[in-house]
Amino acid sequence: MAIAVMPRVEEELQPAVKQQEVLLHACDLNVYYGQQHAVQEVSLTVNKHEVLALIGPSGCGKSTFLRTMNRMNDGIEGARVTGQILYEGLNVLGENIHVTALRKEIGMVFQKPYPFPKSIYENLVHGLRHHQVKKSEWDETIEDALTKAALWDEVKDRLHESALALSGGQQQRLCIARALVLKPRVLLLDEPASALDPIATAKIEALMLELKKEHTVVVVTHNMQQAARVSDRTAFFYQGKLIEVGNTKQMFHQPGEKQTADYIAGRFG
């Protein structure tokens, strides 16, 4: 199993989730920032090779939930978490989890692209060097990641030029490639196209659909049309709670909850 890269202790082992297609399973998850209860008793599964969209108004807990899956909240003062997130049966919130190894398995790309002020090549080599990937494998791994990120043809003759010279859309795809060089099983995307123009947004959306063939994608988006276009399932968050989750087409055409229907129709949020 891929999670063998993370240290395991007997008390951390949990019963495997029965459905074979489930890769991640949040169970009664609560996240607090000091006294603020940002995520409240959320239970949600993430299936293998799907795009799961998280929607809801600003401040509803969806980005907090996303970051909790690879423990990006660990460094926030006052943040604490209860409940479990099972990754193929292993509680990734356990104290003895190797967080660096976890983030190799569950990568993340943020709303605003942050390429390092180095060459395109050095941006991609950074993670390979950190995880001690053999140097003989670097070039092939980098080409594969850039190809998956639909960027190889645009930069293959510019690899040693500054990444900061790329357009905003190219920078975002570079950040996706930077995550992909580590071959994660899950890719977390926090509003990856919110700052991009329509052409660049279309490329990111096409990329998500392609990536799910080999990866699992969880994306936070405020764009209802985007969620409808790219996701297999959609989860609606409101005031820290998971209100509804289901097949995207069904949720957008016949949601089960009035709050979901009102949000999708633009009556609040």
Side-chain angles (χ1 to χ4, degrees):
M1 296 173 65
I3 50 175
V5 298
M6 293 185 287
R8 305 178 68 151
V9 292
E10 194 64 32
E11 61 267 27
E12 284 186 313
L13 295 177
Q14 305 294 334
V17 181
K18 290 182 181 179
Q19 301 94 327
Q20 292 298 307
E21 73 274 11
V22 172
L23 185 59
L24 284 156
H25 186 189
C27 309
D28 299 322
L29 187 72
N30 292 276
V31 184
Y32 301 84
Y33 298 127
Q35 298 300 312
Q36 179 189 358
H37 196 174
V39 171
Q40 304 174 30
E41 296 294 327
V42 168
S43 293
L44 177 63
T45 59
V46 181
N47 298 327
K48 295 178 181 178
H49 302 297
E50 76 168 348
V51 177
L52 173 67
L54 309 182
I55 64 171
S58 296
C60 69
K62 56 190 183 298
S63 289
T64 292
F65 176 80
L66 190 79
R67 292 195 301 267
T68 305
M69 284 194 277
N70 74 344
R71 296 184 52 168
M72 291 298 294
N73 292 319
D74 282 13
I76 299 177
E77 186 175 354
R80 63 186 180 89
V81 181
T82 65
Q84 298 179 327
I85 296 180
L86 305 180
Y87 176 48
E88 294 196 320
L90 176 68
N91 180 19
V92 303
L93 301 178
E95 293 182 1
N96 293 293
I97 291 297
H98 192 300
V99 176
T100 300
L102 172 66
R103 292 175 184 163
K104 182 176 181 290
E105 295 273 309
I106 306 176
M108 187 162 186
V109 177
F110 299 94
Q111 178 178 3
K112 185 177 179 180
Y114 285 104
F116 303 138
K118 300 178 179 180
S119 70
I120 296 167
Y121 189 84
E122 280 298 319
N123 266 266
L124 297 166
V125 160
H126 178 83
L128 300 177
R129 186 181 289 120
H130 181 75
H131 287 276
Q132 299 181 334
V133 175
K134 293 179 181 178
K135 195 170 183 178
S136 60
E137 299 176 10
W138 286 4
D139 288 353
E140 182 179 351
T141 302
I142 286 171
E143 181 176 348
D144 181 62
L146 287 170
T147 300
K148 286 183 177 179
L151 192 57
W152 173 251
D153 288 339
E154 297 173 38
V155 303
K156 62 184 177 182
D157 298 321
R158 306 166 55 191
L159 292 178
H160 298 288
E161 296 180 14
S162 173
L164 301 180
L166 297 173
S167 69
Q170 288 174 324
Q171 288 185 11
Q172 188 65 294
R173 281 181 284 147
L174 175 63
C175 291
I176 292 172
R178 196 167 63 193
L180 291 176
V181 292
L182 299 178
K183 301 180 180 179
R185 297 186 68 194
V186 183
L187 194 60
L188 310 176
L189 304 176
D190 194 357
E191 297 190 62
S194 64
L196 304 180
D197 61 64
I199 294 175
T201 295
K203 290 182 179 181
I204 295 294
E205 291 181 4
L207 177 56
M208 282 189 266
L209 293 172
E210 190 66 24
L211 285 174
K212 76 174 183 178
K213 295 176 182 178
E214 296 184 35
H215 307 268
T216 294
V217 179
V218 186
V219 57
V220 167
T221 180
H222 281 285
N223 186 323
M224 296 300 95
Q225 291 76 23
Q226 182 174 92
R229 285 191 295 264
V230 304
S231 67
D232 300 288
R233 292 191 303 139
T234 296
F236 171 55
F237 284 72
Y238 184 64
Q239 294 184 344
K241 298 178 180 179
L242 175 62
I243 305 301
E244 184 174 359
V245 59
N247 175 274
T248 295
K249 289 182 179 179
Q250 181 176 339
M251 273 190 64
F252 274 75
H253 290 94
Q254 195 175 7
E257 301 292 334
K258 184 178 184 301
Q259 285 175 312
T260 309
D262 288 345
Y263 181 72
I264 290 173
R267 287 191 279 270
F268 73 93

